[in-house]
Structure formats: structure tokens, C-alpha cells
Amino acid sequence: MAEDQKRTRRANGETAIYFGKDDRWHARVPMGYKDNGEPYRRHITRPSEDALVEEVKRLEKQRDQGTAQQPGKLWTVEKWLWHWVENIAKDVVSENTYDGYEVAVRVHLVPGIGKHRIDRLEPEHLESLYRRMQKNGSAAATAHQAHRTARTALGEAVRRGHAAKNAAALAKPPRVEEPEEEIEPYSVEEVQSLLIEVNKRRNSARWMLALALGLRQGETLGLRWIDVDLDHEYLKLRRNRLRPKYEHGCTEADPCGRKAGYCPHREQVRRETKNTKSRAGRRAVPLPGPLVVMLRTHRAAQARERNTAGNLWTESDYVFTKPLGGPLSPNTDYHNWKKLLDDAGVRDGRLHDARHTAATVLMLLGVPDRVIDQIMGWEAGTSSRMRARYLHVPDAMLKDVAQKIAEAIWGPSPNAPVDKDQNNEG
């Protein structure tokens, strides 16, 4: 055997190439380290030296670019998605974001593309999944949510060297159409009708905070008395109320047979509130005088409820509580809103439409954009987009502008009322 064909000792980190007793060329290419810290080498063999050297160069390039498959990590899409959502994403995203990821993984991605190897997943596999989802009745927005989840999860896999490309970043998601129906804020007359009905109810100030100041549901239900300064007529927003999540408290030996949320021994597994995620969300909001009066009245009524309930009262310091204390459930709050609209004889609408109403009123009052952004809690970088989405121009304002344009171009209408002082001047 020629001297250059014999196995030679190489320095650490170098590829060892040698001619074996099986009459084939062999190489052991350093590719990194295993999970336990031991060096990992890929063993490859080819019939000729030239073919072997070409393969060695290919593997070394993948290694140096960080795109090589790591040892022991031949992930399927299913295995990686569950690892990512439970062990990576869960600890770094909000509870609501995690819930969206988990549903997309469990309901759509794992059944649809879970059997593929992650390094062999192609954009076409995902695009086919999106079409099947919509064919089976899923909305385009649902398919888009699955796409965003896959893109985020696979992006992490690429960064960690488990796949060479992010198939979801290359795939074309379905187009999400803007809703055809324009959101119509409540008119001043409708708000006044709601105010009459609101004054007959518990937690009446809760609804006026939404209609007058545009507070989000989570912000209002997460509000504590320590955040409210009635003497200086403002409140601070710094946390959101989260939707409760429960697990069964009953045992497997004696199951209740109900859903977790209705289990007699249910256990709350999600914190009640979280801090607002943006600096703009943590803000001070001025209180109109009538709202200050409503909150003072509400605080006195809550004190009476606490005294009446005695030991049954659940102390929590929330501004808006259940009859026996403790935070309001967002689901109960939503149904209370629907009943309020019905009792007031006002057209049906989303609870979030109250926020659109408040933003539009601020615009009509001529409040500067910067102040609107502060009250609504919009980030500086997105405030113009949010104003375009939330500020609605009423028909009456459009008609007024149209009349002014007509007068400027064609002159006053013959049927327009005549100014008597102008006639006297002639």
C-alpha cells in the first residue's frame, strides 16, 4: 500500500482520510459535539479518493455554515414541533400566544405534516396543508395562524442546525381578506342610551371606561384600586387580566365526567394578570369628572358589598369584582356586555367596538394625535396604522365636507339660508 494511502494521525478538528482493508476510501469528518460534550465525527466511505474528497468538502461546508444535521437529532416535524412548543416557546411567550401555538400544532400542523423529517420538509408540503385546511372548512385566518406558527418553530430549528432551510418561510400562505363590513362606532345617542342602562347595574363604571376612554377588556378587568387616583383624576394602566385556564382537580379513580372548567374541584393553572408587554401600554389616563363620580360611587358600593358578605368575601383589591369579591371572568364580562346592549335597545356589537367608539370621539373632539396615542396605548412606530384602523369618519362629517367643497367650487347653493346681515350691507 502506498505511503500516502496509509492512515495517518491528524490534529484535533481535522478530517482523517484513509484507504481501508475493504478497498474503499474512508473519512471521519469532525462535525461538532454531541449533547454530552463528546466530539462527533461523521464516517463516510466512497470507492474512489476523488469522490470521497468531494463529499468531505460538502460536509465541511455544511458544518462551517451551521446547516449540518446534528447527531442523534433526526427530528420528525411532529417531534420537533412538540419539543419547540413545550420546551422553548412556552417559557418565553405570553399565555395567549402559547395557546395559539399549541392549538395550531395539535390541531393542524402535527396531523397535517408531522410525519415528515424536518430536514426534508418542503414548502409544497405546507401549501398543500393550507389548501386542505380551507377545503375542510377552516378560515384563511386559521391557516395563516398555522403558517406563522410553523414559520416560527422551523426558524428555531434552522438556527439550531436541525434543518438547512425554513420551509415555512418559503411557502406562500393563504391570503387573508380584510372584512367587508366597516366597523361602525356607536353614536353619541347610542352611548347615552347605554349610559342610562349602565347606571342601573353593578360595576357601572366598567362600561364607561370602555366607551369614554377606550380601555381594553383585559386592562379594565385587571385594574386595581392602587392604580386609581381619584383625587388627581387619573388612573394608571400596567397590567392585563388573563382568561382563566383550569385543569381537573378530581382524581382518575373518581372522575367528575365534566370539562375541566366545570370540574367541582377544578384548579386554576394560569396567573390572573400579566404586566402589559409594551411601554405604550403602561400609561396614565385622565379621568373625566363624571367618571370620577361614578368610580367614587362604585367604591362605596363595593365597600357595602364587602361588609354584607363578611367572611364570604374574596379580597383582591380589584376595582371590578364578582358580587362576593375576586376578579371578574372575561367570559362573564363579555356576556354582560351583550345583555347591556340588548337591555338598552342598542344594536349588537363587539365589546372591542367600544374602543373604536372612544377613539373616534377623541378625533371628533380635535384631540391631538399624540394625546390620542397616549390614551389608547399605541406604540409610536405603529400609531399611524392604528389610527387608520380605529378612527372612523361619521357620515355627517363627510356630508359637511362635501357641502364645503361644493360651496368652494360652485358657490353657495340657491337653497342655502341667506345671512340677513349680508343683505342689509348692500
Side-chain angles (χ1 to χ4, degrees), residues 75 77 116-123 125 162-163 165 167:
W75 298 92
V77 173
H116 292 282
R117 259 180 51 175
I118 196 171
D119 58 331
R120 296 179 180 175
L121 185 68
E122 297 295 337
H125 297 142
H162 304 316
K165 67 176 182 292

Side-chain angles (χ1 to χ4, degrees), residues 149-216:
T149 302
R151 184 180 59 196
T152 304
L154 295 175
E156 188 64 34
V158 171
R159 282 190 291 273
R160 298 183 181 216
H162 304 316
K165 67 176 182 292
N166 184 341
L170 300 173
K172 299 297 183 184
R175 182 179 178 181
V176 179
E177 300 286 349
E178 292 292 331
E180 294 184 3
E181 293 185 5
E182 176 69 19
I183 296 171
E184 184 180 353
Y186 290 108
S187 66
V188 173
E189 291 77 11
E190 289 173 318
V191 173
Q192 290 172 343
S193 297
L194 288 169
L195 178 59
I196 294 173
E197 187 61 35
V198 154
N199 287 327
K200 305 174 185 177
R201 298 168 182 261
R202 287 187 73 251
N203 295 327
S204 57
R206 180 265 173 275
W207 306 113
M208 297 317 297
L209 285 174
L211 290 162
L213 298 177
L215 268 62
R216 303 175 179 93

Side-chain angles (χ1 to χ4, degrees), residues 85 94-106 145-146 149:
V85 77
S94 70
E95 287 88 340
N96 288 342
T97 301
Y98 165 78
D99 285 347
Y101 286 160
E102 192 275 337
V103 169
V105 167
R106 172 172 49 85
Q145 165 67 7
T149 302

Side-chain angles (χ1 to χ4, degrees), residues 62-262:
Q62 285 186 350
R63 176 197 65 197
D64 296 340
Q65 291 178 342
T67 60
Q69 180 69 50
Q70 296 301 307
K73 297 296 184 182
L74 297 175
W75 298 92
T76 63
V77 173
E78 177 179 5
K79 182 180 177 183
W80 171 253
L81 287 175
W82 281 122
H83 172 77
W84 169 79
V85 77
E86 293 297 337
N87 300 306
I88 300 174
K90 190 173 186 177
D91 293 333
V92 297
V93 301
S94 70
E95 287 88 340
N96 288 342
T97 301
Y98 165 78
D99 285 347
Y101 286 160
E102 192 275 337
V103 169
V105 167
R106 172 172 49 85
V107 178
H108 303 295
L109 295 175
V110 166
I113 57 172
K115 301 304 179 184
H116 292 282
R117 259 180 51 175
I118 196 171
D119 58 331
R120 296 179 180 175
L121 185 68
E122 297 295 337
E124 291 78 13
H125 297 142
L126 286 154
E127 290 163 349
S128 176
L129 169 64
Y130 305 150
R131 288 193 296 271
R132 293 197 306 272
M133 287 176 62
Q134 292 182 272
K135 185 177 179 180
N136 293 332
S138 293
T142 304
H144 211 281
Q145 165 67 7
H147 169 76
R148 292 194 302 270
T149 302
R151 184 180 59 196
T152 304
L154 295 175
E156 188 64 34
V158 171
R159 282 190 291 273
R160 298 183 181 216
H162 304 316
K165 67 176 182 292
N166 184 341
L170 300 173
K172 299 297 183 184
R175 182 179 178 181
V176 179
E177 300 286 349
E178 292 292 331
E180 294 184 3
E181 293 185 5
E182 176 69 19
I183 296 171
E184 184 180 353
Y186 290 108
S187 66
V188 173
E189 291 77 11
E190 289 173 318
V191 173
Q192 290 172 343
S193 297
L194 288 169
L195 178 59
I196 294 173
E197 187 61 35
V198 154
N199 287 327
K200 305 174 185 177
R201 298 168 182 261
R202 287 187 73 251
N203 295 327
S204 57
R206 180 265 173 275
W207 306 113
M208 297 317 297
L209 285 174
L211 290 162
L213 298 177
L215 268 62
R216 303 175 179 93
Q217 183 190 45
E219 293 172 339
T220 307
L221 301 189
L223 198 63
R224 298 178 186 267
W225 283 113
I226 195 175
D227 303 321
V228 182
D229 189 336
L230 295 179
D231 293 332
H232 295 92
E233 300 186 348
Y234 75 92
L235 53 83
K236 289 183 178 179
L237 299 172
R238 43 193 173 191
R239 63 180 64 85
N240 284 313
R241 172 81 166 98
L242 296 175
R243 188 174 296 277
K245 186 176 182 179
Y246 302 101
E247 288 184 356
H248 281 283
C250 54
T251 63
E252 293 183 5
D254 185 23
C256 66
R258 305 177 183 179
K259 292 183 178 180
Y262 297 95

Side-chain angles (χ1 to χ4, degrees), residues 312-325:
L312 297 177
W313 182 264
T314 301
E315 194 58 58
S316 62
D317 194 43
Y318 284 103
V319 174
F320 303 109
T321 68
K322 294 179 286 189
L324 293 178

